[in-house]
Amino acid sequence: MTDTALPERLARAITLAGPMSLAQYIAAANAHYYAVCDPLGADGDFTTAPEISQMFGELIGLWSADLWDRAGRPDVAWVELGPGRGTLAADATRAMANAGFIPPVHFVETSPPLRAAQAKRIPDATWHDAIATLPDDRPLIVIANEFFDALPIRQLLKTADGWRERLVACQDLLFLPIPGKQLPPGILPPELDDAELGSILETSPAAVAILRALAHRLVVQGGALLIVDYGYNGPAIGDTLQAVKGHSFANPFEAPGEHDLTAHVDFGTLGAAALTAGAQVYGPVAQGFLLSALGVDSRASVLARGAPERADQIAADRNRLIAPDQMGELFQALAVTAPGWPEPAGFI
Ligand code: SAH
C-alpha cells in the first residue's frame, strides 16, 4: 500500500527543521512500512527462517525448553520480539509443550496487521508495544529472530575533515544522504583514525538500548535471550543499510515507508553491552552451527520419514537454513544469560 503522506510529512519536517538523522528517517519509514502491510513470505517482500521451515521454530523451542529444564524448571515468561506472522512462536510452543514446558507467551510487536496474524496462531499471548512492560517478577526467555536488523541505525562518514554523521536531506520529494556536523574528536575508537575517505561506520543506539535493558532484566530476574540475525562482529567499517521490496534490493532513500529498511547487526557491540550489564554472553556462532548442534539433521529425517512425498522439499529447506552459501553463515546467533543460569545449548 502506498502512503503519499509519509514522504510529504518527512519532506516538511526537513524543510522546517533541517536535515534529519538517518535513524529518525529509518524509524519513520519502518514504522509506516510495518504498520500497513504483512511483508513476509514468498508473496511478500522478504522471507525469514521460520517461514522457510517449521524446523527452525521447533529447534528454538527445544533450545528454550532445554535451558528451562536445566535451570530447574522455574516459572518463566517466554517472550518473542517482532514475531512476524507468529510462525516461529507456533512451532516453538508446540515443541516446548512436547517437552512439558508451557509458559505464558508475551509478544513485543508494534504492527497492527502482524499482531492480528500472531493472534491467529497464539490467541492467548499478551502483546506489548515495547520491552518496558514485560513481566518483571519472573525469569524471561526471550527470542529475537530478524528483529534487531529492523531497528534504526546511524551512519558516520569519514570525510577530508574528519568523521561526520550522515543526515537525510530532501529536495522536492527526493531524499538523499549528506554529511552533517563534524564529530568532536575522541568519540570514535582511535584505530579508526586512519580509515579511508568515504568509509562508513554504523551504530544502532536503539539496538544497544534494548539489549542493555534486556540484559539488565536478565541479571535481576533471571533468564536468557537468543538473537538470530544477519550481522558481524563489530564495530567495523561498512555500509549495510538496505531496502528490500518484492525480494529485490531498492534504494533506501527512495519512497520511504514502501520498503523494508534494514542493516546488519553488530553482534560485537551488543555482546559487549550485555557483558557490561553483568550478563553472560555466548557466541556469536553461525546459524548453521547452532541448528546443527540442536539436531536439525535428525529433525529433517523424522519429518521426511513421516511425509516421504515431501522429502526433497524438507532436504532443500534444511539446506537453505544451514548451508554456508545460503543462510548458514550470514546469519549468526548470540545468546545472553543471567549469571548462574546454565550454558545454552548450541554455542560450543
Ligand atoms: N521474527 C519474524 C519477523 C521478522 S520482521 C520472522 O522471523 O519471521 C521484523 C518484525 O519486527 C516484524 O514483526 C515487525 O513488525 C517487528 N518490529 C520492527 N520494528 C519494531 C519495533 N521497533 N518494535 C516492535 N516490533 C518491531
Side-chain angles (χ1 to χ4, degrees):
M1 190 173 128
T2 311
D3 179 359
T4 47
L6 178 70
E8 276 148 20
R9 273 207 318 274
L10 288 173
R12 202 161 49 235
I14 291 171
T15 309
L16 286 173
M20 66 171 57
S21 81
L22 181 61
Q24 223 180 330
Y25 172 86
I26 296 173
N30 274 354
H32 180 266
Y33 176 77
Y34 282 107
V36 297
C37 69
D38 169 357
L40 288 152
D43 318 329
D45 289 334
F46 59 95
T47 195
T48 58
E51 300 298 331
I52 290 169
S53 167
Q54 69 187 80
M55 294 186 279
F56 187 79
E58 289 170 346
L59 293 172
I60 287 184
L62 291 177
W63 181 91
S64 307
D66 166 66
L67 198 59
W68 163 77
D69 182 50
R70 288 185 293 117
R73 304 191 159 217
D75 247 339
V76 306
W78 191 84
V79 179
E80 193 181 348
L81 310 181
R85 289 179 171 168
T87 309
L88 187 159
D91 295 331
T93 51
R94 194 176 60 247
M96 292 181 331
N98 283 338
F101 178 37
I102 308 178
V105 173
H106 290 257
F107 287 151
V108 177
E109 175 62 69
T110 42
S111 155
L114 289 177
R115 276 190 180 202
Q118 292 152 19
K120 286 194 187 136
R121 311 299 301 274
I122 312 281
D124 297 337
T126 305
W127 279 266
H128 302 261
D129 289 328
I131 57 170
T133 53
L134 289 171
D136 59 5
D137 60 347
R138 63 188 68 199
L140 305 174
I141 293 183
V142 184
I143 309 298
N145 184 62
E146 290 209 41
F147 169 76
F148 280 90
D149 66 76
L151 299 176
I153 56 158
R154 296 170 62 185
Q155 285 189 335
L156 308 176
L157 176 70
K158 180 74 187 290
T159 67
D161 49 5
W163 289 92
R164 291 167 178 267
E165 176 166 2
R166 258 183 147 184
L167 302 176
V168 181
C170 162
Q171 183 148 40
D172 301 324
L173 283 177
L174 294 175
F175 296 88
L176 72 164
I178 58 160
K181 266 214 298 228
Q182 216 172 330
L183 294 184
I187 287 197
L188 294 179
E191 58 271 24
L192 293 172
D193 284 350
D194 308 328
E196 278 176 36
L197 283 188
S199 295
I200 284 181
L201 180 73
E202 296 180 341
T203 66
S204 180
V208 172
I210 290 177
L211 199 285
R212 234 184 235 150
L214 281 174
H216 180 69
R217 292 283 208 118
L218 299 181
V219 169
V220 174
Q221 297 172 219
L225 161 67
L226 176 65
I227 302 176
V228 183
D229 225 311
Y230 37 94
Y232 57 100
N233 214 344
I237 298 295
D239 178 359
T240 74
L241 178 65
Q242 64 184 35
V244 169
K245 180 88 192 165
H247 296 267
S248 14
F249 291 111
N251 179 345
F253 297 100
E254 260 170 31
E258 283 184 44
H259 318 126
D260 181 39
L261 295 184
T262 64
H264 289 210
V265 173
D266 176 357
F267 285 108
T269 298
L270 294 185
L275 282 175
T276 305
Q280 306 180 115
V281 174
Y282 300 90
V285 298
Q287 171 171 303
F289 178 91
L290 176 73
L291 295 180
S292 298
L294 297 179
V296 71
D297 285 341
S298 49
R299 186 65 190 134
S301 319
V302 170
L303 287 175
R305 270 204 301 280
E309 71 291 353
R310 291 189 55 240
D312 287 350
Q313 185 61 47
I314 291 164
D317 294 345
R318 168 209 165 270
N319 206 43
R320 192 151 168 214
L321 292 177
I322 72 168
D325 60 343
Q326 309 261 321
M327 298 176 81
E329 293 276 339
L330 175 64
F331 282 75
Q332 303 271 314
L334 182 85
V336 178
T337 63
W341 266 57
E343 193 165 296
F347 283 83
I348 45 158

